[in-house]
């Protein structure tokens, strides 16, 4: 009974108007899904962009760091301008869920129509037409082949690879191989994330004793991060040593 009361209270807090707010400012871009304004982390709602360590195939069937490219596209689009965000609710990592605008343009919609994110979640229909536009224009991720961001983390041999045009024959080998993330997706993304048997998420930075002991081709190795702030925004905690 006590557990049920606590859960009901938590849900009431999440659904309350307190979680709804307006924030304005020039954001720090943590990844293509997440920004930070005035020390408040906001997860762009209604869309799903690749995480910074996701790898895709380009128009020539070669591997490229599409997650880093998506993040950098958002950084370039922002270009130091002021964002106006309306938040409503929080996700499981404690990030506020928000719709954001720059000079009146819907950032969430821009990410999808530019091909750097897919329409997703309960409000997926809101950005579906933007996704069709991006697909038809072979924009961003649609210029080659890729795994949908929500399938990337749990990918296996049966994971479907999509693209606006034909998917290369070697796509399965290139995007589903166990050694895919043996090297960081970018020289700037060298933080290692691990998940232990209890589900504890820990990140390890260069210079820590544990860092060199982690083989990213084997469990519990999980993913690469580009910054400690990004790792913490995704629910990881710094390793003790």
């Amino acid at each position: 009974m006590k557990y049920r009361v606590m859960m009901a209270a938590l849900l009431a807090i999440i659904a309350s108007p307190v979680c709804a707010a307006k924030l304005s400012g020039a954001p720090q871009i943590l990844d293509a899904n997440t920004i930070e304004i005035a020390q408040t982390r906001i997860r762009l709602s209604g869309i799903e962009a690749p995480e910074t360590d996701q790898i895709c195939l380009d128009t020539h069937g070669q591997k490229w760091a599409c997650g880093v490219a998506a993040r950098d596209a958002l950084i370039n689009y922002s270009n130091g301008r002021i964002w106006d965000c309306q938040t409503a609710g929080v996700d499981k990592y404690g990030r506020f869920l928000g719709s954001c605008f720059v000079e009146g343009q819907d950032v969430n919609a821009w990410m999808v129509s530019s091909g750097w994110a897919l329409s997703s979640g309960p409000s997926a229909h809101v950005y579906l037409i933007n996704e069709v536009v991006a697909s038809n224009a072979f924009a961003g991720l649609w210029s080659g082949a890729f795994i949908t961001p929500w399938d990337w983390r749990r990918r296996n041999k049966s994971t479907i690879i999509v693209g606006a045009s034909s998917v290369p024959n070697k796509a399965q080998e290139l995007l589903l191989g166990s050694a895919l993330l043996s090297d960081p997706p970018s020289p700037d993304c060298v933080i290692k994330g691990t998940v232990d048997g209890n589900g504890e998420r820990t990140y390890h930075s260069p210079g820590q004793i544990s860092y060199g002991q982690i083989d990213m081709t084997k469990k519990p190795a999980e993913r690469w991060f580009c910054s400690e702030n990004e790792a913490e925004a995704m629910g990881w905690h710094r390793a003790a040593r």
Side-chain angles (χ1 to χ4, degrees):
M1 178 64 71
K2 184 178 180 180
Y3 172 79
R4 290 184 179 181
V5 171
M6 291 177 62
M7 288 302 297
L10 178 60
L11 290 173
I13 292 172
I14 291 174
S16 73
V18 175
C19 289
K22 291 183 178 180
L23 293 168
S24 295
Q28 178 187 3
I29 311 296
L30 301 182
D31 62 26
N33 283 311
T34 313
I35 66 168
E36 186 172 295
I37 297 177
Q39 299 183 323
T40 299
R41 290 171 182 151
I42 301 172
R43 169 44 163 100
L44 299 180
S45 60
I47 70 172
E48 192 81 38
E51 296 173 350
T52 50
D53 68 337
Q54 182 163 345
I55 303 298
C56 301
L57 300 182
D58 63 19
T59 187
H60 302 295
Q62 301 298 310
K63 291 187 293 185
W64 67 299
C66 57
V68 171
R71 180 205 62 187
D72 291 348
L74 186 56
I75 290 173
N76 292 334
Y77 171 79
S78 179
N79 195 29
R81 295 185 292 173
I82 299 299
W83 289 35
D84 298 304
C85 298
Q86 176 68 56
T87 66
V90 297
D91 69 4
K92 63 182 180 180
Y93 302 124
R95 299 175 296 183
F96 285 83
L97 299 171
S99 297
C100 298
F101 296 82
V102 174
E103 298 177 358
Q105 183 175 21
D106 186 335
V107 177
N108 305 43
W110 180 85
M111 284 293 288
V112 178
S113 60
S114 299
W116 296 117
L118 303 182
S119 185
S120 176
S123 57
H125 63 281
V126 175
Y127 302 115
L128 188 58
I129 187 62
N130 303 89
E131 185 173 309
V132 173
V133 169
S135 175
N136 289 339
F138 303 104
L141 306 177
W142 297 102
S143 63
F146 62 97
I147 295 170
T148 56
W150 49 84
D151 281 337
W152 172 253
R153 279 292 120 227
R154 53 179 181 268
R155 65 191 183 277
N156 53 51
K157 293 182 179 180
S158 62
T159 299
I160 297 174
I161 298 175
V162 300
S165 58
S166 61
V167 175
N169 292 330
K170 294 183 64 178
Q172 295 278 341
E173 176 185 344
L174 293 172
L175 294 182
L176 299 176
S178 61
L180 177 66
L181 295 180
S182 58
D183 298 314
S186 165
D188 300 322
C189 304
V190 295
I191 296 174
K192 298 176 179 180
T194 62
V195 180
D196 67 19
N198 296 319
E200 182 69 21
R201 299 183 175 198
T202 308
Y203 69 83
H204 312 255
S205 298
Q208 290 187 281
I209 296 175
S210 58
Y211 185 84
Q213 301 172 353
I214 300 169
D215 182 348
M216 293 300 286
T217 66
K218 301 177 180 178
K219 291 292 184 179
E222 183 72 14
R223 61 161 298 179
W224 295 94
F225 291 103
C226 301
S227 71
E228 293 192 3
N229 205 1
E230 177 197 356
E232 290 171 2
M234 293 296 294
W236 263 258
H237 305 284
R238 182 178 172 84
R241 59 188 184 90

